[in-house]
Amino acid sequence: MRFALLSGCSLLTLATLGLPAAAQAQAPTITSFTPATAAPGSTVTVTGTNLNGFTAVQLNGQRVSATSSLLLPASSLTFVVPIAAGSGSFAITTAAGTAVSATKLGITRTSSSQNYPQATPSTTGTTATGNFSTPVVCDLDADGRLELLVGQGNGTMIVYEQTAANGAFSTTGTLLTLSPSGTIDVGNFAKPTVTDLDSDGLQEILVGEELGKVQIYEQTARTGAGALTFDAGSTLFPNPYGVVTTAGTASANAGSYARPTITDFDGDGRIDILVGANDGTIRRYEQNTLRANTTAGFTDLGSIKLGDGTPLDAGSVSKPLVTDYDGDGKLDLVVGTLAGAVKLYTQTAVNRATFTFVRDLSTAGTDATVINMGNSGTNPSNVNGYAAPAVTDLDGDGLLDLFIGNANGSVFRYEQSTSATSPTITAPLPVVLKSFGGQATAEGALLRWSTAQEVNSDNFTLERSADGRTFQPVAQLPAAGNSTATRSYQYEDASAEARSLTTSYYRLQQQDLDGTVTVSPVVVVRRSGSTQAVGTASPNPFSQELYVALPAGTEPQPTQVTLTTLTGATVYSAKLLLSASPQLLPALPELKSGLYLLQLTTATKSTTQRVVRQ
């Protein structure tokens, strides 16, 4: 079973920046939840403190239906797993702060099939303008019935509601309106998605348009007629590719025809917005802090990449959505294109923002299994091009439905086939590594690590290296097997080599009962004539993610983190609350391969070490 490294030393993460001490004292906490895996539509029970009075509960950025305890202080709440949910962390927000589950909720699926034959009826709903429909499925008014929200070629959006739970959508739609009057109109080619960026319980519609802008509109009420009425709106991203355009020139702009979607790649509770565009690439923006909902509140992390580091390019006019179609714990990216193709990608690993191509759902397969809107995904001039996918489970049978809009305004429905070999898929939960650190001692090196949970874990093998590349086993410690409580481990490497090396590199190999092996990030232990260790950076070398920590036994304290080139140019700077538990550097930019200097500065000490970007 895989294990994932968490940033932070406790089972929960609190976001209370900018709040007075009294408010922080009442911030929500999460201590546990059951069950560990759940199917869409089932109920999850969360225990903790100060959970009543929440404004929002979200899973991977998607709002969930929740009910809190009537007891004060609230110690529990329940929420219903959304029907199109992917495995991930959930966030609970109150006026005092936000708590994020350190352990991910695993989502189970009835089927893991990649096949989506056309369902009956093949189309659903109508459109206002009859072209370039871009659908999204949500529950805007929180009444338990889904809405099919369709962006139109003329810049407006029309909504169709289910006539009953698990039933068909109404054939009569309603245009979304502004308050106090008017219709939402973004100009041309409205491409919507729905989320709650600021976790206030009011959902926002993010809408891309012809010139590349992404607009944001917020509900005026959570339920009732006000749920379909929105504020005046504002521009969230002027253009996702930073290109200024004018009317009539959009087709030549890489960032035009923007289509946003949302997820949470790394499970930190901060929403990622992915924006597809004219040139086929997909750009990623992440919230700088929980609840951010303005342009300044997001960091541009560049284009989504494949596992080999090259930009993901699905084809012209990319329209992405994120789900977990097979319940394997990794998020899946489905991308529609101008040519009518629908392409499937999956995360290279849990918490990663890199993907592996799986297959073209519109060409790879038989006539009975492929998504075919009349062009087999290869004819850009066909009216069935401009595929725009959305995902849901319309009839509640546990099989995912893909709704795909196209150039002539139709919305086609395709339903996932039942798996032939595995009718029920259970999301594998990783061994969650909360911390892994080391420090020099008079006898050698002391290594400590802890886990938040373990599933079918057999043992940990501690390995050492003198160069950071070739590792040899040092010791093997038995694992807990199955555990939902925090488990702590330590081993002192008192070998002659550990005492003689100025710099030692350590890593863990965690092995499951079925023989599966997963390797941790690398911890660096340095000796400089004394036994006082400096802060650690891991893995080193690193690729896209870098974790930092203070010496073992150090109390959490504000630390200035600075990353510079050898010529002194600063490429990263942040003030973080660090401890002995490795913490992921947030919003680390794309860096060129090479050697960098990492400086950690606390109130009493400053240390500098070399790190290598692969």
Side-chain angles (χ1 to χ4, degrees):
M1 199 69 67
R2 298 179 306 274
F3 61 59
L5 184 64
L6 299 179
S7 60
C9 58
S10 65
L11 187 58
L12 52 97
T13 302
L14 294 179
T16 55
L17 297 178
L19 293 172
Q24 291 190 24
Q26 301 301 315
T29 69
I30 299 170
T31 56
S32 64
F33 63 90
T34 58
T37 61
S42 59
T43 298
V44 174
T45 300
V46 184
T47 60
T49 63
N50 304 311
L51 299 179
N52 64 326
F54 62 85
T55 56
V57 180
Q58 294 177 302
L59 175 61
N60 281 340
Q62 182 179 3
R63 185 176 77 170
V64 303
S65 175
T67 304
S68 64
S69 169
L70 296 178
L71 300 176
L72 295 176
S75 60
S76 68
L77 64 75
T78 60
F79 67 82
V80 178
V81 179
I83 57 179
S87 300
S89 299
F90 56 87
I92 300 172
T93 300
T94 70
T98 299
V100 180
S101 65
T103 303
K104 291 191 174 186
L105 171 67
I107 303 300
T108 62
R109 292 278 178 217
T110 299
S111 173
S112 64
S113 174
Q114 298 173 9
N115 296 324
Y116 288 85
Q118 187 165 283
T120 302
S122 61
T123 60
T124 182
T126 58
T127 62
T129 63
N131 59 17
F132 299 103
S133 54
T134 301
V136 63
V137 183
C138 52
D139 184 5
L140 286 173
D141 53 6
D143 65 353
R145 290 181 294 164
L146 296 173
E147 280 88 35
L148 177 66
L149 175 62
V150 184
Q152 306 293 306
N154 69 353
T156 63
M157 289 175 286
I158 191 168
V159 62
Y160 305 86
E161 186 169 49
Q162 277 184 315
T163 55
N166 299 328
F169 291 108
S170 170
T171 57
T172 302
T174 303
L175 285 173
L176 292 186
T177 58
L178 297 169
S179 177
S181 63
T183 299
I184 296 180
D185 186 346
V186 297
N188 287 309
F189 304 107
K191 304 180 187 302
T193 196
V194 177
T195 187
D196 181 6
L197 292 180
D198 53 4
S199 300
D200 64 353
L202 296 172
Q203 296 194 85
E204 290 96 23
I205 296 179
L206 310 183
V207 193
E209 50 83 74
E210 179 183 18
L211 301 182
K213 291 189 299 183
V214 176
Q215 298 288 107
I216 179 172
Y217 300 86
E218 187 171 66
Q219 289 176 314
T220 59
R222 299 186 188 189
T223 59
L228 301 181
T229 302
F230 293 79
D231 65 15
S234 61
T235 299
L236 182 61
F237 303 133
N239 183 287
Y241 286 71
V243 180
V244 178
T245 64
T246 58
T249 64
S251 61
N253 172 24
S256 59
Y257 305 111
R259 198 274 175 90
T261 193
I262 59 101
T263 188
D264 178 11
F265 278 127
D266 47 17
D268 62 359
R270 294 181 293 159
I271 293 175
D272 297 289
I273 298 177
L274 307 187
V275 183
N278 191 51
D279 70 348
T281 61
I282 299 170
R283 209 160 189 91
R284 176 191 176 195
Y285 295 82
E286 185 177 51
Q287 285 178 318
N288 297 328
T289 60
L290 296 167
R291 309 171 77 168
N293 65 344
T294 63
T295 304
F298 283 82
T299 297
D300 182 353
L301 298 180
S303 296
I304 294 294
K305 292 182 173 56
L306 298 173
D308 62 4
T310 60
L312 186 155
D313 184 352
S316 297
V317 192
S318 56
K319 302 180 183 71
L321 71 86
V322 181
T323 185
D324 179 6
Y325 79 88
D326 54 3
D328 68 349
K330 294 190 293 184
L331 295 174
D332 302 299
L333 183 66
V334 181
V335 188
T337 72
L338 179 153
V342 182
K343 298 182 179 180
L344 176 65
Y345 302 80
T346 191
Q347 275 181 311
T348 54
V350 174
N351 293 336
R352 296 284 184 180
T354 53
F355 285 82
T356 299
F357 177 69
V358 178
R359 71 183 180 101
D360 188 334
L361 300 178
S362 51
T363 60
T366 66
D367 290 342
T369 60
V370 299
I371 293 174
N372 185 354
M373 296 186 295
N375 61 352
S376 297
T378 59
N379 186 355
S381 64
N382 193 292
V383 293
N384 287 323
Y386 293 90
V391 66
T392 188
D393 179 8
L394 179 67
D395 50 12
D397 63 356
L399 299 174
L400 288 176
D401 297 296
L402 281 177
F403 287 92
I404 303 180
N406 70 355
N408 71 9
S410 298
V411 178
F412 291 79
R413 177 189 171 203
Y414 302 82
E415 186 170 70
Q416 185 182 30
S417 299
T418 301
S419 301
T421 57
S422 183
T424 301
I425 301 298
T426 301
L429 287 178
V431 171
V432 179
L433 189 66
K434 287 178 59 179
S435 65
F436 178 36
Q439 66 181 107
T441 65
E443 290 76 23
L446 180 63
L447 287 304
R448 295 190 178 98
W449 63 97
S450 64
T451 61
Q453 70 173 27
E454 297 182 33
V455 177
N456 297 328
S457 58
D458 186 10
N459 63 74
F460 294 97
T461 298
L462 180 67
E463 297 182 321
R464 181 186 61 240
S465 171
D467 58 10
R469 295 185 295 273
T470 303
F471 286 83
Q472 300 294 329
V474 173
Q476 186 177 93
L477 281 71
N482 293 284
S483 172
T484 57
T486 298
R487 298 276 180 165
S488 297
Y489 302 84
Q490 73 175 45
Y491 180 83
E492 186 164 32
D493 181 8
S495 64
E497 184 174 8
R499 293 193 300 272
S500 63
L501 289 172
T502 301
T503 302
S504 299
Y505 302 86
Y506 290 89
R507 71 183 186 187
L508 289 171
Q509 282 204 22
Q510 182 269 321
Q511 181 169 319
D512 288 349
L513 293 173
D514 64 2
T516 302
V517 174
T518 306
V519 181
S520 78
V522 174
V523 165
V524 182
V525 176
R526 290 184 172 86
R527 310 176 69 84
S528 56
S530 70
T531 60
Q532 184 175 15
V534 300
T536 61
S538 62
N540 191 12
F542 70 100
S543 54
Q544 291 184 326
E545 297 178 341
L546 183 63
Y547 292 82
V548 297
L550 298 180
T554 303
E555 292 294 323
Q557 56 190 286
T559 306
Q560 178 65 44
V561 181
T562 306
L563 198 61
T564 63
T565 65
L566 294 182
T567 61
T570 299
V571 295
Y572 179 86
S573 179
K575 190 72 171 286
L576 304 175
L577 185 66
L578 293 187
S579 68
S581 298
Q583 180 170 328
L584 177 67
L585 292 183
L588 188 67
E590 291 285 340
L591 299 174
K592 295 180 180 179
S593 298
L595 190 62
Y596 294 84
L597 298 178
L598 175 69
Q599 185 177 47
L600 305 180
T601 304
T602 66
T604 60
K605 186 178 180 182
S606 180
T607 62
T608 301
Q609 57 188 294
R610 295 188 175 193
V611 293
V612 177
R613 168 67 162 87
Q614 290 178 325

